[in-house]
Amino acid sequence: MAAARHTPLLLDIAPGDPRPIVRQIVDGIRRQVAMGDLAVGDMLPSVRGLAQQLLINPNTVAKAYQELTAEGWLDARAGLGLFVAQPRQRLSLAEQQRRLDEACERFVDDVLGLDFSAEQMLERLGQDLAPLGAKKRA
C-alpha cells in the first residue's frame, strides 16, 4: 500500500453563512471528496491542526470529523490519523432519495422569491454541478 499523502484542507468558513460551522466543514469535505480534490487514502489534518487553521474550537472540528467517519467518508486509523475512505454505498437508496427531496424543497423555497425563470435557475444549477460530473467521469 502506498504511503498516504497529507493533503491540506482548503475550507472557507463564512461567519455569515446560516449553516453551523460543523455543517460548513462537513459539506466542504464532502464536496472535496466528491470532486476528487481529496483522493482515497489522503490524510486529513489533525483536529487541532484544522482548528488552528480555521481559527475555531477543536470540538467543532471533532464533531465534523465524527459525522464524516460515521457516514463512511473518512476512516479513522488508530495512532495514524484520519484518511479519505474507499467509496461505498454510504446511504440507503431510500435515504438518498429523502435527502435529495429535502434539498430540492429547500432550494425551491430559497429561490422562490427571486426574479429568475425556472430555466435560468436550472442553467445555474447545471453550471454548479458540471465540475462534479467532469471529475466523476475522469
Side-chain angles (χ1 to χ4, degrees), residues 3-111:
R5 62 183 179 119
H6 189 282
T7 306
L9 280 180
L10 303 175
L11 297 173
D12 289 324
I13 301 304
D17 192 315
R19 298 172 299 159
I21 294 173
V22 169
R23 176 66 30 223
Q24 292 180 55
I25 295 169
V26 168
D27 291 349
I29 293 174
R30 281 183 188 149
R31 179 181 290 251
Q32 288 185 30
V33 172
M35 299 281 294
D37 296 333
L38 286 172
V40 171
D42 282 353
M43 183 179 190
L44 275 70
S46 68
V47 167
R48 182 179 303 239
L50 186 58
Q52 287 175 343
Q53 174 189 326
L54 299 175
L55 302 174
I56 61 173
N57 188 309
N59 291 333
T60 303
V61 175
K63 287 178 190 175
Y65 278 178
Q66 287 170 351
E67 182 175 335
L68 289 161
T69 301
E71 291 181 356
W73 292 90
L74 303 178
D75 279 332
R77 299 181 193 158
L80 297 176
L82 281 167
F83 299 83
V84 176
Q86 286 285 341
R88 63 177 171 85
Q89 185 70 32
R90 294 181 175 94
L91 302 170
S92 69
L93 294 178
E95 180 63 11
Q96 287 179 6
Q97 187 62 53
R98 186 192 70 75
R99 288 188 184 195
L100 177 61
D101 292 346
E102 191 176 274
C104 288
E105 288 173 19
R106 261 193 327 271
F107 173 76
V108 169
D109 288 345
D110 288 347
V111 300

